[in-house]
Amino acid sequence: MMTIPLESGLILSGILFSLGLVGVLIRRNIIFILMSIEIMLNAAGMAFIFAGARWGQPDGQVMFVFILTMAAAEVSVGLALILQIYSKFKSLDADAASKMRG
Amino acid sequence: MMIIFYIAAVVAVISTLLVITRTNVVHALLYLVVSLLSAAIIFFVMGAPFIAALEVIIYAGAIMVLFIFVIMMLNIGKQSQQQESQWLQPKTWIGPAILVLILFAEFIYLFISTTPDIIESAMVSPKDVGMALYGNYLLGVELSAMLLLTGIVGAYHLGHRTKKVVHRFLEEEKSV
């Protein structure tokens, strides 16, 4: 029987996570930053899935369900914040909102 | 099974790389959907079919639709007209289409080559996941329910447009 080794799965999720991190660091559009955060959350959940499949336990999938719930709540609040920032600053640039003035 | 995993992994990495380098938001969203679909293929191969279905339904379905709605709400009149004509050109959708065709070929292959022993050997069935979710992790389920309620209330509060209550003469003065 051939199963996927745990190392290659963890390397894949590490690559995806670092791509998301690079996306957060290099982009200044808020929507792109939010999408990169989604990529990172998905990669973290993928690591849970690989670890759960390695030992054949359902706990990894349960953790992925929790991450999915958290991502859904985070995206809804984040997109509402994007709408507010756009209506206030007329721009999606993250640097436009760098000053904390009410 | 190995080769399916590695092809889907390459597709996932390529599409994620394209997500963070696009300048157009909708192009990036197309590639992000491809990335999530390839993650679903990977989960299916890893023996987590329930999570693969959730990935397609919630991530690639619901969350991406939220993104698209917000992008539509943010549309800026004149630019959107030009972008609309650009979006219909084949060079915008040919990249995601090729990557999705690779995933679709893998999907067809998984159905045709009935090798259930390989899949089911490492498979964690949805029943086990459900038993664990509502058994050991019941507290986590309730906490995530509270988190979702907070998300609903927060999104409603933040998305609510505050009306400016200004006297109409002052409003005119302000607009000048």
Side-chain angles (χ1 to χ4, degrees), chain A residues 5-17 39-55 57 59-61 63-64 67, chain B residues 5 39 42-43 46 51 55:
Chain A
L6 182 63
E7 291 82 13
S8 58
L10 289 182
I11 287 171
L12 171 66
S13 62
I15 289 173
L16 290 182
F17 187 88
I39 292 170
M40 284 198 288
L41 285 174
N42 192 35
M46 194 182 276
F48 272 110
I49 293 290
F50 285 128
R54 166 69 178 75
W55 283 282
Q57 294 294 317
D59 302 289
Q61 302 191 23
M63 282 300 153
F64 188 87
I67 291 177
Chain B
F5 169 76
I42 289 171
F43 292 156
M46 291 300 290
I51 298 299
E55 176 95 6

Side-chain angles (χ1 to χ4, degrees), chain B residues 3 19 21-22 30 56 58 65 70 74 85 88 91-94 106 108 129 136 176:
Chain B
I3 192 69
V19 168
T21 53
R22 293 301 94 183
L30 278 176
V56 173
I58 296 180
V65 165
V70 167
L74 294 179
S85 60
L88 295 178
K91 74 176 170 60
T92 63
W93 52 262
I94 202 78
E106 286 189 344
I108 294 296
V129 178
N136 292 333
V176 169

Side-chain angles (χ1 to χ4, degrees), chain B residues 3 9 22 24-25 29-30 35 38 40 44-45 49 52-54 56 67 77 85 89 120 139 146 167 170:
Chain B
I3 192 69
R22 293 301 94 183
N24 195 323
V25 183
L29 270 180
L30 278 176
S35 168
S38 56
F44 187 74
V45 171
L54 276 188
V56 173
F67 269 105
S85 60
Q89 290 172 357
E120 287 180 5
L139 186 64
M146 287 173 63
H167 196 269
L170 293 176

Side-chain angles (χ1 to χ4, degrees), chain A residues 1 27 38 50 59 64 84, chain B residues 20 22 55 59 137 158:
Chain A
M1 190 190 82
R27 300 309 296 258
E38 288 301 305
F50 285 128
D59 302 289
F64 188 87
Q84 285 291 101
Chain B
I20 63 173
R22 293 301 94 183
E55 176 95 6
Y59 255 122
Y137 292 95
L158 287 172

Side-chain angles (χ1 to χ4, degrees), chain A residues 1-5 8-9 12 15-16 19-20 22-24 26-27 29 31-32 34-36 38-39 41-42 45-46 49-50 52-54 56-59 61-73 75-77 79-84 86-87 92, chain B residues 1-2 5-6 9 12-13 16-17 19-25 28-29 32 36 39 42-43 45-48 50-51 54-55 58-59 63 66-67 70-71 73-74 76 117-118 121-122 124 128-129 132-133 137 140-141 144 147-148 150-151 154-155 158-160:
Chain A
M1 190 190 82
M2 291 171 68
T3 53
I4 293 113
S8 58
L12 171 66
I15 289 173
L16 290 182
L19 280 177
V22 167
V24 170
I26 66 173
R27 300 309 296 258
N29 191 323
I31 292 182
F32 278 98
L34 203 58
M35 282 160 63
S36 302
E38 288 301 305
I39 292 170
L41 285 174
N42 192 35
M46 194 182 276
I49 293 290
F50 285 128
R54 166 69 178 75
Q57 294 294 317
D59 302 289
Q61 302 191 23
V62 171
M63 282 300 153
F64 188 87
V65 172
F66 287 153
I67 291 177
L68 202 65
T69 311
M70 200 266 291
V75 150
S76 60
V77 173
L79 287 173
L81 275 175
I82 285 177
L83 285 179
Q84 285 291 101
Y86 186 74
S87 67
L92 285 175
Chain B
M1 207 52 68
M2 297 281 280
F5 169 76
Y6 286 116
V13 170
T16 308
L17 198 59
V19 168
I20 63 173
T21 53
R22 293 301 94 183
T23 52
N24 195 323
V25 183
L29 270 180
L32 186 55
L36 296 174
I42 289 171
F43 292 156
V45 171
M46 291 300 290
F50 178 57
I51 298 299
L54 276 188
E55 176 95 6
I58 296 180
Y59 255 122
I63 294 180
L66 266 183
F67 269 105
V70 167
I71 290 166
M73 285 178 76
L74 294 179
I76 315 140
D117 52 339
I118 299 179
S121 60
V124 178
D128 293 337
V129 178
L133 194 60
Y137 292 95
V141 173
S144 60
L147 177 69
L148 281 178
T150 318
L158 287 172
H160 197 253

Side-chain angles (χ1 to χ4, degrees), chain B residues 35-169:
Chain B
S35 168
L36 296 174
L37 289 179
S38 56
I41 288 273
I42 289 171
F43 292 156
F44 187 74
V45 171
M46 291 300 290
F50 178 57
I51 298 299
L54 276 188
E55 176 95 6
V56 173
I57 292 170
I58 296 180
Y59 255 122
I63 294 180
M64 291 304 116
V65 165
L66 266 183
F67 269 105
I68 287 174
F69 276 159
V70 167
I71 290 166
M72 283 161 66
M73 285 178 76
L74 294 179
N75 248 351
I76 315 140
K78 204 163 46 178
Q79 291 182 1
S80 66
Q81 289 280 335
Q82 298 174 347
Q83 283 181 349
E84 195 81 25
S85 60
Q86 288 178 357
W87 287 346
L88 295 178
Q89 290 172 357
K91 74 176 170 60
T92 63
W93 52 262
I94 202 78
I98 289 172
L99 292 175
V100 162
L101 275 181
I102 294 173
L103 291 179
F104 188 67
E106 286 189 344
F107 187 63
I108 294 296
Y109 174 74
L110 278 175
F111 263 110
I112 290 175
S113 74
T114 50
T115 53
D117 52 339
I118 299 179
I119 292 180
E120 287 180 5
S121 60
M123 193 168 106
V124 178
S125 70
K127 187 183 173 188
D128 293 337
V129 178
M131 291 303 280
L133 194 60
Y134 287 98
N136 292 333
Y137 292 95
L138 188 59
L139 186 64
V141 173
E142 292 179 358
L143 283 177
S144 60
M146 287 173 63
L147 177 69
L148 281 178
L149 179 66
T150 318
I152 292 170
V153 174
Y156 177 74
H157 176 70
L158 287 172
H160 197 253
R161 298 197 178 188
T162 54
K163 286 178 185 169
K164 279 197 293 186
V165 185
V166 181
H167 196 269
R168 56 183 185 274
F169 298 129

Side-chain angles (χ1 to χ4, degrees), chain A residues 88 99-102:
Chain A
K88 183 168 283 214
K99 295 274 170 53
M100 289 183 73
R101 288 173 306 201

